[in-house]
Amino acid sequence: MYNFIGIDISLNSTAVYIETGDKKTVLSFTSKKDNNIWINELKSAGVVFTHLYRKSSSDYSSNEILKLIDFSNLSVQIVDIILPYLDQDLKTFCNIEGYSFSRNTSSILDIVSLSTLVKTELLTRIPDIEMSIISPLSLKLEACKLVYPPIEIGVKKKKYKWVNDQGIAGGSFKKQQMFKAFIDGKIDTPIYNILFHHKDLMDREKIPNPIEDIVDSIFCLKVLRRKVVTHESLAQ
């Protein structure tokens, strides 16, 4: 038995999903107000929210320092909250979604800063942790592989591709297709029933936060868990 952690780091809505034995926990660190409709829905399913309140300054240098202090404090807080949900006697596997370089320059620099601090805290404070970083493209493809059957396209040699039931390739998934995969795959988590009730969200232009980041954190964990289980099966 192991601890498994999936994390999607975001400036305004970092999501953490944890599985230890039969215990499943969803954490969200969000700048959304606690009266947000989706937060209230997710709270009813047991999601644990931490609300972020950041200081800012009109002075460039002061604002950069304030951000760094906020990121440092948040990274400590994230690990503080994760630790009680882990079995300290077990090895921990952690999978974190990497950066999307389609962001603007200022945003990507901030997310790199926060992400580096969070990873450092995890590596420093969680004993016997094995961390991996999965690219956004790989996460999309692996989520597709988890949910939809392969299509054989090879003629002389076996070759496969993975698409959803709409014919969209896994590597081309957007947030709507990730949400759809979560629903189609009946992914066993505390929030499945709530999100199934709102499955019409997949038809929207944008999946609201914190939902989209939580879904990504869940797939981070599920993809890693399958990899670990498969590796152990082959080793036997």
Side-chain angles (χ1 to χ4, degrees), residues 52-71:
L52 310 178
Y53 304 94
R54 293 199 176 110
K55 296 178 181 178
S56 63
S57 172
S58 57
D59 177 73
Y60 175 80
S61 178
S62 297
N63 194 56
E64 290 300 302
I65 299 301
L66 283 172
K67 284 194 294 186
L68 185 57
I69 293 171
D70 279 338
F71 295 162

Side-chain angles (χ1 to χ4, degrees), residues 75-90:
S75 65
V76 172
Q77 187 178 31
I78 287 172
V79 179
D80 281 345
I81 293 175
I82 287 174
L83 282 172
Y85 294 101
L86 304 179
D87 186 330
Q88 300 300 318
D89 295 325
L90 299 178

